[in-house]
Amino acid sequence: MISFVPLATIDPPAVEQLLDRAFGADRHGRTAYRIREGMRPVDGLSFAALEDDALVGTIQCWPVRFAGADGRDVALAMVGPVAVEPARQRDGIGRMLMERALAAAESSGAARALMLIGDPEYYGRFFGFTAERTAGWHVPGPVERHRLLARGDDVPAGEGTIGPRIAALA
Ligand SMILES: CC(C)(COP(=O)(O)OP(=O)(O)OC[C@H]1O[C@@H](n2cnc3c(N)ncnc32)[C@H](O)[C@@H]1OP(=O)(O)O)[C@@H](O)C(=O)NCCC(=O)NCCS
């Protein structure tokens, strides 16, 4: 039986160890980590999956922003990583974590502007993310353009830089 709890209730080292097992310990240099550098996950959009009290999955969402070349400043939530314990992958836990975070984002309004870096076959097929509006986005590191995905009515198109939403620290 899988249950879901706010990620903030889980011991942070246990979350880090699960992420290491799912992605490898070299994950920290990835562009997705640089985009949200210095940020804390958004509590209301970040969840853990537990099975008999054991941590089997996590999803985190982060406050980021689009700084448009034309002066626009648009708040977005960056979704991910989604991670499932390797031995428990392909059993629907990842999909349930995404559904949980997306439902919370719908309730809070954050779903109007979501982005992530990920596999379009997964995030497009199941969750409606596309690269349609991200072609002009600059990110702080290498990215395969077809993996820079977004979803929501307020997602900005055009030239701009995606980075941490520093004001969210205040
Ligand atoms: C990707 C991940 C989160 C998916 O979670 P999961 O619990 O294993 O996946 P689910 O069981 O919910 O998968 C549902 C469907 O997605 C498919 N799927 C899973 N990963 C996929 C991928 N990378 N590309 C395409 N389809 C994928 C599954 O085949 C399944 O489809 P089906 O129901 O038609 O068989 C998990 O496998 C994982 O942690 N992987 C390592 C870390 C990672 O790559 N995270 C994603 C990047 S942020």
Side-chain angles (χ1 to χ4, degrees):
M1 168 82 179
I2 307 286
S3 59
F4 296 91
V5 297
L7 188 68
T9 64
I10 305 296
D11 193 26
V15 175
E16 295 302 311
Q17 286 157 20
L18 172 60
L19 291 170
D20 283 347
R21 288 195 294 277
F23 289 98
D26 60 348
R27 62 194 165 87
H28 296 277
R30 291 178 177 212
T31 299
Y33 282 73
R34 295 189 214 160
I35 287 176
R36 40 84 158 178
E37 197 153 20
M39 299 290 100
R40 276 180 31 77
V42 182
D43 282 341
L45 303 181
S46 300
F47 298 94
L50 302 177
E51 186 170 45
D52 303 329
D53 290 337
L55 182 65
V56 291
T58 60
I59 187 164
Q60 295 167 314
C61 296
W62 306 84
V64 303
R65 65 189 278 255
F66 170 90
D70 58 2
R72 275 176 301 162
D73 189 354
V74 181
L76 298 101
M78 182 167 77
V79 180
V82 192
V84 175
E85 183 66 46
R88 297 293 285 109
Q89 289 177 4
R90 302 264 159 156
D91 201 15
I93 296 171
R95 198 188 304 194
M96 287 190 280
L97 281 163
M98 276 295 287
E99 284 167 356
R100 184 61 61 121
L102 291 175
E106 292 290 346
S107 303
S108 74
R112 297 189 65 82
L114 301 173
M115 57 83 54
L116 58 78
I117 297 176
D119 207 338
E121 288 76 32
Y122 186 71
Y123 294 102
R125 177 181 163 208
F126 294 115
F127 304 110
F129 284 81
T130 76
E132 269 166 30
R133 281 187 249 172
T134 68
W137 292 10
H138 305 284
V139 294
V143 70
E144 293 173 80
R145 301 306 309 191
H146 71 283
R147 303 185 81 243
L148 185 57
L149 306 175
R151 183 185 123 164
D153 291 344
D154 291 351
V155 170
E159 290 283 319
T161 301
I162 302 284
R165 203 188 316 158
I166 301 295
L169 286 174

